[in-house]
Amino acid sequence: METKLIKTGKFIDGKEVLAIELTNSQGTYVKIYNYGAIINKFIVVNKHGEKQDIVLGFDDIDQYTSEAYLSNYSYLGAIIGRYANRIKNGRFNIDGETYQLSQAKGGDCLHGGDIGFDKKVWDVLSTIDPSVTLQYVSPAGEEHFPGNLTVQLTFKLTDENELILDFKATTDAPTAINLTHHSYFNLAPQGGSIAGHIHRMPASNYLEQDDNYVVTGKLIPVEGTKYDFLGDKAIGQDWDIEEGYDQTFVLDKPYGEFTLASETSEAESGLKLSVYTTEPVAHFYTAKYLDVKNGKDGQDYLPYGAFCVETQHHPNGINVPKFPSTVLRPGENYKQTTIYKIEHN
């Protein structure tokens, strides 16, 4: 088990982009960039004894900042912050003060604004085998959010084939925060559509969205709908092929409890990915808008060629008082743990 720090020679805003490599005794290898806290590679051994990369990404760090990729940006493998998903009209109120954020297509704020945490070079605080802790200090007013926010994210790879993501944050003024990670997974050896992956989520309700995918505040039971993943089901079994899934599921658990968020398996590789989290919801996205040219090994990534399980607090929760609070205040500590665990079926 070890951690390696590798210089890429690339600098962004005067800070060097570094690659951090984590390996364990099971042959699992994870490569992370301090740019965007991107999980670039997640290589595991499948049931055939073959090494297989289960996340989408690029072979070259420069591709993550290319004009072609950013013009149809998909947040491949990156952290999302200060605020995951959408905030209605890019606006929220804390203690009587209204804050207007940048607005994306449709007029809502998406994934933290124009230049979110996914486009920042994070400081490498420590590397303890096999883990790395990254830090980013977001200044007050960045993307129009209040408060100086200090965020730390630790990635740790265990010999049980768990990649643990521990998030921590503090602030010097009340602010909105909702962090997640946006890895795109495909468990099939040759990639392609994830329609045949078998998926399960212990979530009896999902969150209603408006026409621009913004959460309204209403919970809808999954029973009798295409959103029912309470039992094992092929992802493509009930979906609308023109839409796939892009919904937030409310996990069946007490608030703050660390439990299973989802299980996804694929027959040919024999791999199963289980996601565990302390967070109350998981956003399940089947990559409808994915259109990336020249990914790893020259692959083109197309719609429904991956799935994301984005553990977080309720999207737009800053504007829905009945949802768990996404306000962080001075003296408080934001904490979140999410684990990606790989097993054989």
Side-chain angles (χ1 to χ4, degrees), residues 43-110:
I43 297 175
V44 300
V45 179
N46 65 24
K47 71 176 182 180
H48 306 291
E50 302 162 341
K51 291 191 173 183
Q52 178 183 329
D53 197 345
I54 60 171
V55 296
L56 275 55
F58 293 111
D59 291 322
D60 189 331
I61 181 62
D62 287 333
Q63 292 174 274
Y64 286 99
T65 58
S66 71
E67 185 177 340
Y69 172 56
L70 295 178
S71 66
N72 190 26
Y73 187 49
S74 52
Y75 302 88
L76 284 179
I79 190 173
I80 303 298
R82 284 188 192 192
Y83 208 98
N85 212 292
R86 292 166 174 82
I87 296 175
K88 185 65 178 176
N89 296 322
R91 189 179 303 123
F92 63 89
N93 184 291
I94 297 179
D95 300 338
E97 184 82 20
T98 298
Y99 299 92
Q100 179 64 59
L101 311 175
S102 58
Q103 294 166 286
K105 182 180 179 182
D108 305 307
C109 183
L110 174 64

Side-chain angles (χ1 to χ4, degrees), residues 128-140:
I128 303 172
D129 292 345
S131 72
V132 61
T133 298
L134 305 178
Q135 177 173 284
Y136 177 64
V137 180
S138 175

Side-chain angles (χ1 to χ4, degrees), residues 16 29 91 93 106 121 124 131 149 159 175-176 196 209 221 234 270 289 316 335:
E16 185 171 14
Y29 165 84
R91 189 179 303 123
N93 184 291
V121 179
V124 177
S131 72
L149 184 74
D159 267 340
T175 193
Q209 299 172 158
Y289 296 106
N316 198 37
K335 293 183 179 180

Side-chain angles (χ1 to χ4, degrees), residues 244-321:
Y245 291 99
D246 194 356
Q247 274 76 30
T248 302
F249 290 76
V250 182
L251 301 174
D252 295 335
K253 64 169 186 172
Y255 178 71
E257 185 175 293
F258 181 76
T259 59
L260 181 74
S262 67
E263 286 181 345
T264 313
S265 59
E266 199 277 328
E268 187 178 351
S269 68
L271 294 174
K272 178 173 74 173
L273 171 67
S274 301
V275 181
Y276 297 86
T277 190
T278 55
E279 292 299 274
V281 307
H283 190 85
F284 183 49
Y285 175 51
T286 54
K288 171 186 176 181
Y289 296 106
L290 188 62
D291 184 14
V292 175
K293 305 300 182 186
N294 198 30
K296 292 176 187 173
D297 298 321
Q299 298 179 74
D300 290 341
Y301 298 138
L302 303 175
Y304 316 116
F307 68 93
C308 305
V309 180
E310 303 161 53
T311 53
Q312 58 190 275
H313 270 55
H314 299 55
N316 198 37
I318 191 69
N319 289 316
V320 184

Side-chain angles (χ1 to χ4, degrees), residues 198-203 222 228-234 237 263:
I198 305 301
H199 189 70
R200 179 172 78 88
M201 300 184 81
V222 301
D228 188 345
F229 284 100
L230 289 169
D232 290 346
K233 182 174 73 173
Q237 177 177 313
E263 286 181 345

